[in-house]
Amino acid sequence: MGAYLGGVVITESVFSLNGIGREAAQAVSDLNLPLVMATVLLAAFFIVTMNIIVDMLYAVIDPRVRLG
């Protein structure tokens, strides 16, 4: 998930698309701290959420792993 969010900046710059990646890059260059913090917080939320989901799926896929 983190790699996808990092790739968004490059993809939006190459294809001249407007989105969260381009907005984040512009916020960094403009020193817009609240927008940079919001983007980082959003990315961190998605990364943590995906890690929790993957950890729970390990218990479902591999019977040797148990929760608790």
Side-chain angles (χ1 to χ4, degrees):
M1 191 69 181
Y4 288 133
L5 290 173
V8 166
V9 175
I10 296 169
T11 303
E12 290 175 0
S13 297
V14 169
F15 293 109
S16 297
L17 300 171
N18 293 329
I20 194 166
R22 191 170 194 169
E23 190 70 30
Q26 187 67 32
V28 169
S29 66
D30 292 342
L31 299 175
N32 187 352
L33 189 60
L35 187 57
V36 172
M37 288 184 346
T39 307
V40 170
L41 188 64
L42 181 69
F45 172 76
F46 282 122
I47 291 170
V48 168
T49 303
M50 294 308 283
N51 281 336
I52 290 171
I53 291 170
V54 168
D55 285 343
M56 284 194 255
L57 285 177
Y58 274 137
V60 173
I61 294 170
D62 191 358
R64 297 174 294 176
V65 178
R66 295 182 187 197
L67 294 175

